Amino acid sequence: MNEIESQTNLLFIYNKNVNVNREVSIEAKNTILDEVLKKLFDKDVIYKIEGSYIVLSPSSQTEMKQQAEMIKGTVADQKGNPIIGANIVEKGNPANGTITDVNGNYSLAVSGNAVLVASYIGYNKIEIPVNDRSVVDIVLTEDMQVLGEVVVVGHSTQKKSI
């Protein structure tokens, strides 16, 4: 999976019900991505390419697949500037998460009653209920307590000796 991510502009998204802790060796040159993915995943995993993501889901749990939905949105600061690299995680399922891209956009497969947890260094963590929405835009506020903890160190002089 790491090789596929490094050779394409795609990222894998999956939750704890998908077993990705196994080694697989595949040799493929000038091969269509779909063919490589078919070889990589067995019957227990279903893959779907959505935008810049390859979404993995367990095939044995059809109920879970029906409940899962793709949530998209942006993360910005209070001035509307996108936050690059903000963390978006499904509450209670820390293995199901993603980070925002250079435009502050994210996409994540979650259950319909999920709660998203958004965080970034220097900003307050926030929890947002999805409530069956497909677009959830997030605004993070600066953590003034962290900003107040900055310490300024003075400078000194030293005499040159020979």
Side-chain angles (χ1 to χ4, degrees):
M1 289 173 42
N2 292 335
E3 285 297 316
I4 292 172
E5 287 182 340
S6 69
Q7 294 180 28
T8 66
N9 289 329
L10 301 173
L11 296 174
F12 284 93
I13 298 176
Y14 52 90
N15 65 25
K16 64 182 178 182
N17 295 321
V18 176
N19 181 12
V20 293
N21 295 325
R22 61 186 180 97
E23 286 192 30
V24 178
S25 179
I26 297 173
E27 187 171 327
K29 292 184 180 181
N30 298 324
T31 306
I32 297 171
L33 178 61
D34 192 53
E35 294 297 321
V36 174
L37 293 173
K38 283 180 186 175
K39 292 178 184 178
L40 182 62
F41 299 111
D42 54 19
K43 296 179 234 174
D44 294 335
V45 178
I46 294 174
Y47 65 89
K48 185 176 183 182
I49 299 174
E50 293 188 6
S52 61
Y53 300 99
I54 302 172
V55 181
L56 306 179
S57 59
S59 63
S60 61
Q61 299 180 5
T62 55
E63 179 184 8
M64 185 178 171
K65 286 190 307 183
Q66 291 171 352
Q67 292 178 354
E69 50 186 78
M70 187 61 75
I71 304 300
K72 298 178 183 180
T74 60
V75 178
D77 62 14
Q78 290 175 303
K79 296 177 184 175
N81 299 318
I83 297 179
I84 302 166
N87 296 303
I88 311 296
V89 179
E90 182 177 4
K91 185 175 182 177
N93 187 3
N96 186 25
T98 187
I99 61 171
T100 56
D101 64 14
V102 295
N103 297 316
N105 298 317
Y106 73 92
S107 181
L108 184 64
V110 298
S111 60
N113 61 351
V115 174
L116 299 180
V117 179
S119 62
Y120 189 71
I121 296 172
Y123 290 83
N124 294 309
K125 184 187 295 187
I126 186 171
E127 294 184 6
I128 305 101
V130 173
N131 296 330
D132 295 321
R133 293 181 287 173
S134 60
V135 176
V136 179
D137 292 328
I138 301 168
V139 176
L140 294 179
T141 58
E142 290 182 7
D143 186 351
M144 297 311 241
Q145 185 176 15
V146 171
L147 294 176
E149 293 176 5
V150 174
V151 176
V152 177
V153 178
H155 53 287
S156 61
T157 59
Q158 185 175 10
K159 192 174 196 179
K160 183 178 179 183
S161 60
I162 299 176

